[in-house]
Amino acid sequence: MRGFTQEEYIIEMEPELAKGQAVYNVSFLDCGGGEVWFQVEDKHDFSVNEDGGVYALHHLNLLGKEKAVLVYAHDLHTKQVWKARIHLRVHPSNSTQTEVKPGDATLTQQVPEILFPWRSVVVRGDGTLRRVKRDWVIPPINVPENSRGQFPEDLVRIRSDRDKNRMLRYSVTGPGADQPPTGIFIINPISGQLSVTKPLDREHISNFHLRAHAVDLNGNQVENPIDIVINVIDQNDNRPEFTHSIFNGSVPEGSKPGSFVMTVTAVDKDDPKTANGMLRYKILSQNPQSPSSNMFTINNKTGDIITVAAGLDREKVTQYTLIIQATDMEGNPTYGLSNTATTVIRITDVNDNAPEFTTETFFGEVHENRVNVIVANLTVTDKDQPHTPAWSAVYRIIAGDPTGRFSIPTDPTTNEGLLTVVKPIDYESTRSFMLTVEAENEVTLVRGIHLPRQSTATVSVRILDLNESPEFRPNPKSMRLEEGLSAGSMLTTFTAQDPDRYMRQTIRYSKMYDPANWLEINPANGQISTIAILDRESPYIKNNHYNVTFMASDNGTPPASGTGTLQIYLTDINDNAPHVFPPEVEMCERPEPNALNLTASDPDLSPNAGPFAFELANRPLDVRRNWTLHRLNGEHAQLRLRIGFLASGLYEVPITITDSGNLPMSNTSYLRVKVCQCDHHGDCVDMERIIAAGLGTGAIIAILICIIILLVLVLLFVMWMKRRDKERQAKQLLIDPEDDVRDNILKYDEEGGGEEDQDYDLSQLQQPDALEPECVKVGIRRLDERPLHHDHQYPLRSAAPHPGDIGDFIHEGLKAADNDPTAPPYDSLLVFDYEGSGSTAGSLSSLHSSSSCGDQDYDYLGDWGPRFRKLADLYGGGDD
């Protein structure tokens, strides 16, 4: 069986039906037919999609009336048609709850829909019928966004026809169920009721794709999973938003009506395929409203702003501010949401105003011969926007300056024309100028506007006279002279003229530059004469030319002066004799070959120079005996040695050379020939050759002297070091008696010492007569040890020791100190504490000591060695 599940539907709903709002989903039962296509009869107010969903095309008001919607289902294959009628009523209590009437199918605004599995009937071969199950399919579910109903809100019940024989469990998977965002959709596992748990936002997620599953209690799949598509139906919950809060545009002044200005754009997050996202634009206000309140219009769909009136003038109104409004719901002012933005339209400048001079005539003055001097400032006014090509002026002289002595550049800051002199002006030629000047802009004027009369002005320029410098004419002045002209010869007159024809002034002449000091000039009349002989061969001559600079000065106020140059071209005469070149040559004692090539040098020019005649002088006689001279050509000759050997030395060979000038000149030159010993290459190897290579005799001697002095200093240093080592060794073996601590009185300036000498035995300083008899004993102790008289630990010495080496006694004391357990763990100086009573040494001076224990015999001192022999003589000599 095929057809609608019901033929009549009664739906009670709110009195206001928004555009795009879902009305109802009609259910069509298909038991194996072809493709079905849905259609509504009222196409102006409603539409139906391929799933049977009915939607409002625009806002509808159902208050006080009932609306019927007729829905048709067409089988495209069999052409069969089914129809169902939907009655839309306003609920009396203005609520969305349904009211059930007998015999009618009454639904809420969003009616849950139950779709069962589809089945087809197949004829067996024996003619019986068999039902075969097809796919388990649920059509798309439409859910409005921002629902305010109680949650969870039921959407649809999913059920399998196998739940009659067994217990089934239903579940859904996918984004929104068990995948992020999780928990939006839930399903009752027993009843299969699919619900939504919270309001949906189409702008966040526009649709959900879920998969429904049906399993038995053991988890075995009893139906193939089916896909469930949940479409979120858009609501008008978003205002239009402009892409910028302030839009900036521009349009040239004078634009014609219909000129494009700019485009404003707004976006709406709602569905652009519905009225919720369809925007319309309009201009709310214009400021200023000049010259008209409607200078612009806007395309309500695209947002393009265009001009609708003429009269845009930047000089009057520089910019316009428009308030633009964008409204959704296709601009419906009642139900649509709106937003505004500001549009600033700047009127750009065009060159519709020509520059105009501020006065008809300008005046200026300038001194003659001045260049790059500003004569006058030409001022103009221009109403166009400053510092643009339509404002910047370009000045042009159209009359009064045929020779181009003036130019008018533009000051970029003030737009003034700076009348400037670019070529010198002579007061004596022109005393004034009357110029006609025209001002234009950098860009041409717009069509229809012409230059006014005020764009042309007259400039009167007066030339001021100055004292100008005298001018030599011609300058430079050239003349041709023969060299050798004697001093006092008058050459020419070189005068200058004063350009100031209206001033009577006197000109005086002077010489400024004369490198050879050959000329002088008459200060009054400018006559030039020589004061020395002119010599073409002078180093001051360059390419036969000699230049002299003169100065002419007037007596004006202030004085002025000018310079002129006299160029003298000197012709050659035969005034210089030739000489041999080179003046010095070298030759081996046994030359191979034995010839030398020579030439002649003559500062004169041809024909006063070559060809030359070469000849050996007759004196001295050995010249012709040793040498021969052969003329090779007019410029060169060859000198040969007649003999096979010539001793080393310096030889002078006289050679007479004659030039070819008119009245020829001869000269005998001496050619210096250095004869030397040569190596196998033919090069000199003697000392003179070495000296000539760079070092003279004096330099070589100085180097040798320095080397000798350096060797002597090194030798003296070595001898001093050896002597020092010997003295050091001798000092270790032979100690000076004054430095010997034995038998000497040592003086200490210290009143105290370190920790080693803080304790002293003052009893040792007592008079020997007051000491006990044991004072005859002599002991040795450490400085850091207090002496104990009653218990000596050191060896004793007899009153008259054996006349042997006293060193034995000292070594014994040292050994005792090393074995002493009371000694500190470091070395100290060992001293004699007390020599004992009755010492044989006696008195140490002529002063008699009362502490002496008796007379002593000092003869044994002579047996102690040479160091004690002096003491033996002093104390062992008796009364002497």
Side-chain angles (χ1 to χ4, degrees), residues 731-747:
K731 192 172 184 180
Q732 293 177 356
L733 298 176
L734 183 61
I735 302 177
D736 189 90
E738 295 181 358
D739 296 333
D740 193 355
V741 298
R742 295 176 294 178
D743 298 334
N744 281 289
I745 299 176
L746 303 179
K747 178 182 179 182

Side-chain angles (χ1 to χ4, degrees), residues 16-70:
E16 298 289 339
L17 189 62
K19 179 182 178 180
Q21 182 174 342
V23 177
Y24 181 66
N25 275 37
V26 293
S27 299
F28 188 82
L29 183 61
D30 188 357
C31 294
E35 184 179 356
V36 177
W37 175 62
F38 296 98
Q39 183 181 8
V40 294
E41 184 180 43
D42 188 0
K43 297 182 180 180
H44 180 265
D45 295 331
F46 299 94
S47 66
V48 60
N49 58 19
E50 59 183 6
D51 298 322
V54 180
Y55 300 91
L57 290 179
H58 54 81
H59 178 266
L60 295 175
N61 189 351
L62 303 179
L63 189 61
K65 57 183 177 180
E66 178 179 331
K67 189 74 171 177
V69 181
L70 188 61

Side-chain angles (χ1 to χ4, degrees), residues 540-616:
Y540 300 105
I541 300 297
K542 306 296 181 185
N543 297 325
N544 300 331
H545 284 85
Y546 183 70
N547 295 333
V548 183
T549 303
F550 298 96
M551 182 173 65
S553 303
D554 61 21
N555 59 348
T557 304
S561 61
T563 60
T565 301
L566 178 64
Q567 293 182 344
I568 302 175
Y569 181 85
L570 294 177
T571 60
D572 185 43
I573 63 173
N574 192 15
D575 57 347
N576 292 280
H579 58 274
V580 68
F581 185 83
E584 201 173 288
V585 294
E586 290 182 353
M587 178 178 286
C588 297
E589 292 178 339
R590 300 181 185 275
E592 283 295 335
N594 61 352
L596 298 173
N597 291 330
L598 307 174
T599 185
S601 176
D602 192 334
D604 292 328
L605 300 177
S606 180
N608 296 319
F612 301 99
F614 299 88
E615 184 182 5
L616 286 175

Side-chain angles (χ1 to χ4, degrees), residues 74-91:
H74 300 269
D75 189 326
L76 300 179
H77 180 66
T78 63
K79 306 300 182 179
Q80 188 176 359
V81 179
W82 298 268
K83 65 179 180 179
R85 187 180 302 274
I86 302 174
H87 298 273
L88 303 179
R89 297 176 182 176
V90 178
H91 194 275

Side-chain angles (χ1 to χ4, degrees), residues 249-296:
S250 63
V251 62
E253 63 176 330
S255 297
K256 296 180 179 180
S259 300
F260 174 79
V261 179
M262 60 185 299
T263 300
V264 295
T265 305
V267 293
D268 196 317
K269 296 180 181 180
D270 291 326
D271 189 357
K273 297 179 180 179
T274 66
N276 300 333
M278 296 181 181
L279 307 182
R280 297 295 183 265
Y281 302 93
K282 72 175 181 179
I283 298 175
L284 296 181
S285 65
Q286 170 191 308
N287 184 37
Q289 298 182 1
S290 174
S292 170
S293 59
N294 296 315
M295 296 297 294
F296 304 93

